[in-house]
Each structure stands twice: as C-alpha cells, then as structure tokens.
Amino acid sequence: FGTATDGLKAKTEALTQKITLQRNVVEMNVQQQEKLTKKLSEQKQKQEELRAKVEAARAAYEKSAKETGKNSEKSKELKAELEKLENEYRTNESAIGKTESALNRQKIQTEKSKKSLVEMEEELKKTNKELKQNKLNQFATACDKAGKASEEFGKKMSLISAGVVGVGAASVKSYNEVKEGTDAVTTATGATGK
C-alpha cells in the first residue's frame, strides 16, 4: 500500500533538493556570463583607446623621424612609446580572444545548466502527478474494499434477518395453533376460563 507512495515521496524530495541546487548552479553560470560580457566590453573599449593612442604615437614618431631623424633622442623616445603601445595593443587583443572563448564556453555551460533545470522540473511535475494518481488509486482501492465489506455485512444481515423473520413466523404459527386448540377446547367443554 505505502511502498509505491513512499518511493514517489522520496523521489519528489530528492528532485526538489536537486532543483534547488541546480537553480544555484544556473544563477552562478548567469553571473559568470555577465562578468565575462562586461569584461569583454571593457577590453574592447580599451582596445579602441589603444588603437587611437598607437595611431597618434605612430604619427608623432613618423613626424619626429622626418623632422629630426630616426636616431634623435625625441624620435627614439617616441619609437619606444610606440612599441610599448603596440605591445599593449597586442596583449589586449590576445586577452580579448581569450575572453571571447571563455564567454562562448560560459554561454554553452549556462544553457546546459538551464536545460538540466527544466528537465528536473519536468521530472518533478511527472513524479507529483504519479504520486497524486497513486494516492487516488489507493483511495479507490480502500473504498472498493470498504464497499465489499459492507456488501458482505449486508448479506450476513439478510441471512440473520431471514432467520429472525422465520422464527417470528413460526412463533405466530405456533401461537395461532395453540389459540385454535384452546378455542376448540373451550367450545367443546363450555369452559370459560373464569
């Protein structure tokens, strides 16, 4: 009787706990995805700023090299600054690539965790439906048993009632026979019984 219901209840409790944990996993994945998206945006903005700085440094270096020569102190300083900015630009470009890859992996992970959550929630709905149906079936079985017990009781009561009616009829018949016998004696003897 209770075994199936107990099993379904245990499954429901386990699924509820898993769903709670999975919601936390989804939330953490969403937060990580948002952080990566923000980081990527900041890196791209920095890249645009670096691009402008590199172009300005290159223009300044080329102007200085043209005016004072490539080996002048000013040109050497501008060339060193240009190389530093170009190196920073390449480093940031590489970081952007890594962040884009991490973001793509995170998006996949987030979608997987959301899909898993939906599947768990569907399984919980299905289990709750089975549990409800199981309880209804148990109730119906109990009602059926009660109905059969009532029917058996009614049959037994019918037999007892028939016996009581039979005894009552026999008593009435016996009484009538005795009365008729007494009436016959009274008539024959003229006794009044006083």
Side-chain angles (χ1 to χ4, degrees):
F1 173 95
T3 307
T5 300
D6 292 341
L8 288 170
K9 283 181 182 178
K11 185 176 180 181
T12 298
E13 289 173 12
L15 281 169
T16 300
Q17 289 175 355
K18 282 183 176 181
I19 286 171
T20 300
L21 293 174
Q22 190 63 24
R23 283 184 179 144
N24 291 337
V25 168
V26 168
E27 182 60 30
M28 290 182 342
N29 281 324
V30 167
Q31 288 174 359
Q32 183 63 22
Q33 186 174 330
E34 288 170 354
K35 286 179 186 176
L36 287 169
T37 301
K38 182 179 179 186
K39 181 179 180 180
L40 182 61
S41 176
E42 290 168 355
Q43 287 173 328
K44 286 183 176 184
Q45 183 179 351
K46 181 179 178 182
Q47 193 71 348
E48 288 304 313
E49 292 169 5
L50 284 171
R51 183 186 328 261
K53 287 180 181 180
V54 166
E55 288 174 8
R58 182 175 287 118
Y61 167 71
E62 288 173 357
K63 182 179 178 188
S64 175
K66 192 175 190 181
E67 292 175 358
T68 62
K70 289 182 179 182
N71 293 325
S72 71
E73 276 305 306
K74 186 177 180 183
S75 293
K76 286 181 181 180
E77 287 174 12
L78 289 170
K79 179 150 175 106
E81 179 65 22
L82 173 61
E83 288 174 354
K84 178 184 163 198
L85 287 170
E86 286 175 334
N87 192 26
E88 195 176 337
Y89 182 85
R90 283 189 296 275
T91 301
N92 193 56
E93 190 170 49
S94 175
I96 287 173
K98 289 177 183 176
T99 302
E100 285 174 335
S101 294
L103 180 58
N104 286 335
R105 285 190 305 273
Q106 188 61 49
K107 285 178 180 178
I108 292 168
Q109 189 62 36
T110 300
E111 288 308 309
K112 282 182 180 178
S113 64
K114 286 179 179 179
K115 181 181 177 191
S116 183
L117 177 61
V118 168
E119 289 171 355
M120 286 179 192
E121 288 172 337
E122 288 299 318
E123 182 67 21
L124 179 61
K125 285 179 187 175
K126 179 182 169 190
T127 303
N128 282 333
K129 187 176 180 180
E130 287 177 26
L131 182 61
K132 184 178 179 182
Q133 186 61 45
N134 188 282
K135 286 181 179 179
L136 287 173
N137 288 345
Q138 288 177 0
F139 179 72
T141 300
C143 287
D144 189 43
K145 285 180 182 178
K148 287 180 181 178
S150 294
E151 186 178 329
E152 286 298 314
F153 178 75
K155 286 178 182 177
K156 288 178 182 175
M157 289 306 293
S158 293
L159 291 174
I160 291 171
S161 295
V164 169
V165 168
V167 168
S171 297
V172 168
K173 183 178 178 193
S174 293
Y175 171 79
N176 286 337
E177 286 176 0
V178 169
K179 176 118 172 75
E180 286 175 15
T182 307
D183 287 344
V185 169
T186 302
T187 305
T189 61
T192 61
K194 292 184 184 178

